[in-house]
Amino acid sequence: QVQLQESGPGLLKPSETLSLTCTVSGGSVSTYYWGWIRQPPGKGLEWIGYVLYTGSTNYNPSLRSRVTISIDTSKNQFSLKLSSVTAADTAVYYCARDGGGSSAYHFDYWGQGSLVTVSS
Amino acid sequence: QSALTQPASVSGSPGQSITISCTGTSSDIGDYNFVSWYQQHPGKAPKLIIYDVSNRPSGLSNRFSGSKSGNTASLTISGLQAEDEADYYCSSYTTTSPYVFGTGTKVTVL
């Protein structure tokens, strides 16, 4: 059974860089696409971006200028960096796996989520 | 890319069937069969319940079914149960982004 676990600081100040890591167990990051999704408190889901084991990435156009997603196959992890955060970036951040291949564009495994709060 | 449009809330009594709509455009739902649905209980991560418009993940109850007509996708929950009370989100591939989510629907079991 594939399991994902987010880790990283839960409190940031405005203008700082958000950094989260997702550790995958029960499966290899060397297959499939691996994504980040966020959910502001009381609001809906927003796709942030994804990475393939090759390092190839795709980002939400609305966040592209501030987002970097990378992968470390040796550690079976992938990471999210979001620069110049503001209060609007306060959200629960989820990492998830895209089903991939002929059955892509849906997330079949999710982490439990990590709340990141941006406040001065 | 704007979010797909869902009704804010839908309710039903135990045993009844309810349908949640998800309206997009010809640039997403209307042109691709990559529609998925997620169930989210309070404080929990979303759970995939439908993918590729109408496919259920292995082991998922057949009370959940999906369909699509034109630019609108639908999720039907039959034999409504108390445990179905949750938020539901649709998602679709689009011409400009691999994922766009719906606005979300709160399902209440009366």
Side-chain angles (χ1 to χ4, degrees):
Chain A
Q1 178 80 344
V2 176
Q3 293 184 319
L4 296 86
Q5 178 68 57
E6 305 89 350
S7 59
L11 181 62
L12 293 173
K13 290 181 168 55
S15 79
E16 291 185 334
T17 295
L18 178 157
S19 293
L20 292 173
T21 295
C22 183
T23 301
V24 178
S25 58
S28 172
V29 297
S30 295
T31 52
Y32 300 107
Y33 289 81
W34 302 90
W36 290 95
I37 301 98
R38 70 179 182 179
Q39 184 173 37
K43 296 188 178 181
L45 302 168
E46 179 181 33
W47 173 67
I48 299 171
Y50 69 57
V51 63
L52 183 60
Y53 70 94
T54 59
S56 173
T57 56
N58 194 345
Y59 301 135
N60 186 323
S62 68
L63 297 170
R64 181 173 292 138
S65 63
R66 299 194 291 132
V67 173
T68 302
I69 298 176
S70 58
I71 195 163
D72 187 336
T73 55
S74 67
K75 294 182 179 179
N76 225 35
Q77 295 176 333
F78 61 104
S79 299
L80 167 70
K81 290 189 185 300
L82 180 67
S83 64
S84 304
V85 298
T86 69
D89 295 310
T90 294
V92 175
Y93 286 75
Y94 295 100
C95 58
R97 188 187 85 167
D98 182 294
S102 61
S103 183
Y105 310 119
H106 59 267
F107 295 105
D108 54 1
Y109 289 97
W110 294 67
Q112 65 185 28
S114 178
L115 174 62
V116 177
T117 302
V118 181
S119 174
S120 56
Chain B
Q1 179 68 46
S2 299
L4 306 172
T5 301
Q6 299 180 232
S9 63
V10 173
S11 62
S13 299
Q16 286 187 330
S17 292
I18 62 169
T19 297
I20 303 168
S21 62
C22 172
T23 302
T25 69
S26 57
S27 297
D28 39 65
I29 293 175
D31 213 25
Y32 302 98
N33 288 324
F34 293 120
V35 177
S36 53
W37 289 89
Y38 302 87
Q39 176 192 61
Q40 185 180 34
H41 288 108
K44 301 294 186 181
K47 174 186 176 182
L48 178 69
I49 56 175
I50 294 288
Y51 66 96
D52 295 351
V53 176
S54 59
N55 292 327
R56 281 186 305 275
S58 175
L60 195 87
S61 170
N62 60 10
R63 297 187 300 105
F64 295 92
S65 61
S67 63
K68 186 186 89 165
S69 177
N71 296 339
T72 299
S74 299
L75 172 71
T76 298
I77 308 175
S78 58
L80 198 62
Q81 300 179 0
E83 67 208 49
D84 300 331
E85 188 161 291
D87 293 327
Y88 291 81
Y89 293 91
C90 60
S91 177
S92 176
Y93 180 90
T94 87
T95 55
T96 57
S97 175
Y99 314 91
V100 63
F101 287 99
T103 50
T105 298
K106 181 177 180 60
V107 168
T108 301
V109 181
L110 301 172

